[in-house]
């Protein structure tokens, strides 16, 4: 079966109309525009700045610092050579985009004047103001930005191995571009024949918490389009008593699930999987529960990388200490105990913000505070917890859900895009407009 042939005729759209609608949306909000208020002059400094991690947050920080400072020694440390556009993994896993849509080269986004070190950080020493790489080389710093992202922990699910993705009805879009493609192939085969589809999210903090819901919606839609919905049961297992962390969005998803016959289980956490028998075991308030499946979308527990967990940098107590998230102030992203350390992106131990859209708002705040300190000034910049989730609800429609720490809906395009309505323009935003905005963000221009 050719990739996403279900879309032909149903959601083939006029590009001129898409551009017109997106132009209207951009006129109503700030997301599509570059910073209009960027200062024209650079701050002179000899500061040594180390950025640990070259994902979305690290590259964005490098670009903004290079643009703001004159004479700084900026070092970007990460072993990765490929850069993954992770918001596109859902699109690859849904047969909407080809696998190469999400892959580029990290070096393409490293700004001039920034030293790129292709090694892993082996040790963080905030007392000595240095990081040490796996080769044993130490990099002293005056300021440190931690942007290491998070770690997927498939091994914490008994019987699960990432090598199983794409086999025996097991999918997981989070793992990699290849894993997303293998998941699409497994899900598409399931949509061709029907059966029992099992979906879930982990009990840990996670990146893009809307992705488990998106993939449930998309799978149900493929089953419907291929005439197999009557032969299928679709089950979503929430890890707690809600479907989404924002109550009004959770209720909207509940209503959509109910309308589409998607069964909802609450307080279910995947603990084990038996690939041979196609049995998934979940913990419940009443004990363990087995669920059979023909297709299962496994989302592993997620936590801070081991190098962070074994350092002095995580929260020492509280909800974020168990998984090792960085102990930062939620408004400034500055470390609570080490004032010359900032944490941005997935690693930050804050109530919201593990999305690429959050990086767009987090990094300018952290950089503004750092540059102000270098210049002997103070900054009033505050990150309010902005998080965005373009929640696909069926092929050709999505809800553009944006919210903050207080669970307030904070739409970027009021009067143009209603956040809780299934809209074609929100689908266009997700599938067409967000990647160019993301690339602009990496280059420090969004």
């Amino acid at each position: 079966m050719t990739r996403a042939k279900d879309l032909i005729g149903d959601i083939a759209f006029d590009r001129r109309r898409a551009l017109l609608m997106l132009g209207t949306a951009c006129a109503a909000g700030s997301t599509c525009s570059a910073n209009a208020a960027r200062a024209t002059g650079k701050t002179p400094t000899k500061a040594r700045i180390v950025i640990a991690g070259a994902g979305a947050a690290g590259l964005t920080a490098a670009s903004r610092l290079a643009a703001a400072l004159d004479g700084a020694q900026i070092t970007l440390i990460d072993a990765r050579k490929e850069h993954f556009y992770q918001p596109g993994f859902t699109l690859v896993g849904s047969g909407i985009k080809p696998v190469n849509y999400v892959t580029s080269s990290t070096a393409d986004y490293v700004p001039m004047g920034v030293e790129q070190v292709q090694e892993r950080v082996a040790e963080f020493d905030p007392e000595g103001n240095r990081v040490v790489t796996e080769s044993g080389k130490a990099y002293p710093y005056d300021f440190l930005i931690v942007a290491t992202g998070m770690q997927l922990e498939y091994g914490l699910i008994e019987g699960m191995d990432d090598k199983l993705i794409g086999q025996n009805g097991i999918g997981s879009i989070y793992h990699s571009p290849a894993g997303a493609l293998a998941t699409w192939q497994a899900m598409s085969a399931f949509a061709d024949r029907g059966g029992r589809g099992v979906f879930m999210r982990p009990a840990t903090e996670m990146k893009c918490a809307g992705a488990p819901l998106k993939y449930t919606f998309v799978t149900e839609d493929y089953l419907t389009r291929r005439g197999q919905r009557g032969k299928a049961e679709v089950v979503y297992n929430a890890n707690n008593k809600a479907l989404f962390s924002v109550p009004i969005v959770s209720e909207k998803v509940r209503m959509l699930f109910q309308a589409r016959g998607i069964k909802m289980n609450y307080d279910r956490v995947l603990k084990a999987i038996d690939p041979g028998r196609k049995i998934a075991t979940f913990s419940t308030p009443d004990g363990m529960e087995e669920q059979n499946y023909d297709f299962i979308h496994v989302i592993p527990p997620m936590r801070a990388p081991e190098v962070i967990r074994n350092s002095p940098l995580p929260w020492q107590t509280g909800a974020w200490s168990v998984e090792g998230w960085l102990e930062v102030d939620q408004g400034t992203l500055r470390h609570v105990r080490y004032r010359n350390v900032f944490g941005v992106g997935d690693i930050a131990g804050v109530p919201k913000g593990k999305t690429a859209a959050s990086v767009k708002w987090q990094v300018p705040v952290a950089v503004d505070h750092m540059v102000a300190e270098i210049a002997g000034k103070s900054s009033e910049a505050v990150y309010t917890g902005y998080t965005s989730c373009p929640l696909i609800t069926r092929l050709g429609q999505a809800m553009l859900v944006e919210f903050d720490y207080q669970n307030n809906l904070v739409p970027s395009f009021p009067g143009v895009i209603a956040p809780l309505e299934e809209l074609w323009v929100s689908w266009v935003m997700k599938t067409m407009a967000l990647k160019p905005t993301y690339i602009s963000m990496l280059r420090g221009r969004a």
Side-chain angles (χ1 to χ4, degrees):
M1 177 169 297
T2 58
R3 184 178 59 85
K5 74 176 185 179
D6 308 66
L7 305 183
I8 298 175
D10 293 297
I11 55 172
F13 50 78
D14 187 326
R15 286 183 176 270
R16 288 174 297 177
R17 182 181 169 211
L19 291 172
L20 176 62
M21 294 185 73
L22 289 174
T24 303
C26 291
S30 61
T31 301
C32 298
S33 63
N35 267 356
R38 177 170 297 174
T40 56
K42 291 187 175 185
T43 299
T45 181
K46 297 298 183 183
R48 300 165 300 175
I49 302 171
V50 170
I51 303 170
L59 289 168
T60 302
S63 293
R64 286 189 169 267
L65 286 168
L69 300 174
D70 181 20
Q73 180 182 327
I74 304 171
T75 305
L76 181 67
I77 304 176
D78 197 317
R80 72 187 75 187
K81 295 182 179 180
E82 291 180 314
H83 180 79
F84 295 144
Y85 173 57
Q86 293 186 54
F89 283 16
T90 304
L91 302 179
V92 174
S94 300
I96 297 163
K97 297 290 186 181
V99 69
N100 61 4
Y101 175 77
V102 297
T103 304
S104 55
S105 172
T106 297
D108 290 344
Y109 309 109
V110 178
M112 289 183 61
V114 173
E115 179 187 6
Q116 183 184 10
V117 176
Q118 289 189 323
E119 285 196 72
R120 289 181 177 85
V121 174
E123 178 188 354
F124 287 93
D125 178 12
E127 299 290 346
N129 292 314
R130 65 174 197 156
V131 299
V132 181
T133 62
E134 287 185 331
S135 70
K137 186 173 181 180
Y139 290 85
Y141 62 79
D142 298 301
F143 294 93
L144 170 66
I145 292 183
V146 182
T148 54
M150 60 169 56
Q151 189 167 303
L152 305 178
E153 296 284 4
Y154 288 96
L156 296 181
I157 303 170
E158 183 182 346
M160 181 60 193
D161 188 301
D162 57 18
K163 297 181 178 60
L164 295 172
I165 298 171
Q167 301 179 30
N168 295 320
I170 297 175
S172 183
I173 60 168
Y174 277 88
H175 180 264
S176 61
L181 177 60
T183 300
W184 157 241
Q185 293 166 344
M187 185 267 273
S188 182
F190 168 69
D192 278 339
R193 63 178 182 269
R196 193 170 195 269
V198 173
F199 302 82
M200 84 286 294
R201 62 149 290 168
T204 61
E205 294 290 327
M206 64 177 295
K207 64 175 68 192
C208 190
L213 302 171
K214 298 176 198 178
Y215 210 65
T216 308
F217 277 123
V218 168
T219 302
E220 192 278 335
D221 196 26
Y222 271 114
L223 286 162
T224 300
R225 289 168 180 268
R226 295 183 184 178
Q228 301 300 321
R229 188 64 182 90
K231 301 177 183 178
E233 181 182 13
V234 181
V235 182
Y236 184 83
N237 296 279
N239 68 297
N240 53 25
K241 299 185 185 302
L243 298 172
F244 199 82
S245 63
V246 179
I248 192 171
V249 179
S250 180
E251 177 59 15
K252 176 65 175 184
V253 171
R254 186 198 66 79
M255 293 170 64
L256 291 175
F257 273 6
Q258 184 178 52
R260 292 170 196 179
I262 297 173
K263 181 181 178 181
M264 293 161 275
N265 293 326
Y266 297 96
D267 295 313
R268 301 293 194 277
V269 178
L270 182 64
K271 294 295 184 180
I273 190 167
D274 185 335
R277 297 170 57 222
K278 291 191 173 182
I279 297 290
T281 302
F282 290 82
S283 64
T284 81
D286 300 319
M288 294 298 175
E289 173 184 281
E290 290 189 346
Q291 295 185 26
N292 67 292
Y293 64 84
D294 295 288
F295 174 77
I296 185 169
H297 186 228
V298 175
I299 300 179
M302 303 182 195
R303 58 182 177 177
E306 185 176 8
V307 66
I308 296 291
R309 301 198 309 271
N310 292 337
S311 79
L313 295 173
W315 282 92
Q316 304 299 292
T317 60
W320 296 306
S321 63
V322 176
E323 295 157 20
W325 308 117
L326 214 68
E327 186 179 10
V328 297
D329 177 83
Q330 69 179 33
T332 65
L333 289 312
R334 186 192 291 267
H335 200 280
V336 174
R337 289 174 286 114
Y338 302 101
R339 287 189 53 80
N340 62 339
V341 177
F342 293 83
V344 290
D346 292 346
I347 192 60
V350 296
K352 309 284 186 187
K354 289 180 172 31
T355 69
S358 302
V359 169
K360 178 181 178 294
W361 295 95
Q362 287 180 357
V363 171
V365 170
V367 168
D368 198 65
H369 280 270
M370 184 186 296
V371 172
E373 183 163 332
I374 289 172
K377 302 176 181 179
S378 61
S379 171
E380 300 299 322
V382 175
Y383 173 62
T384 61
Y386 176 87
T387 305
S388 174
C389 177
L391 185 55
I392 297 172
T393 56
R394 54 166 44 108
L395 298 171
Q397 289 188 338
M399 300 188 298
L400 184 57
V401 180
E402 301 166 280
F403 51 96
D404 62 14
Y405 283 141
Q406 307 304 318
N407 290 331
N408 298 312
L409 296 182
V410 287
S412 294
F413 314 113
V416 178
I417 298 179
L420 295 182
E421 289 187 20
E422 299 176 89
L423 299 173
W424 173 81
V425 69
S426 299
W427 162 270
V428 174
M429 291 286 288
K430 170 64 178 175
T431 58
M432 288 180 57
L434 291 188
K435 186 178 179 183
T437 302
Y438 175 92
I439 299 301
S440 294
M441 177 186 78
L442 298 187
R443 301 192 189 284
R445 295 197 295 263

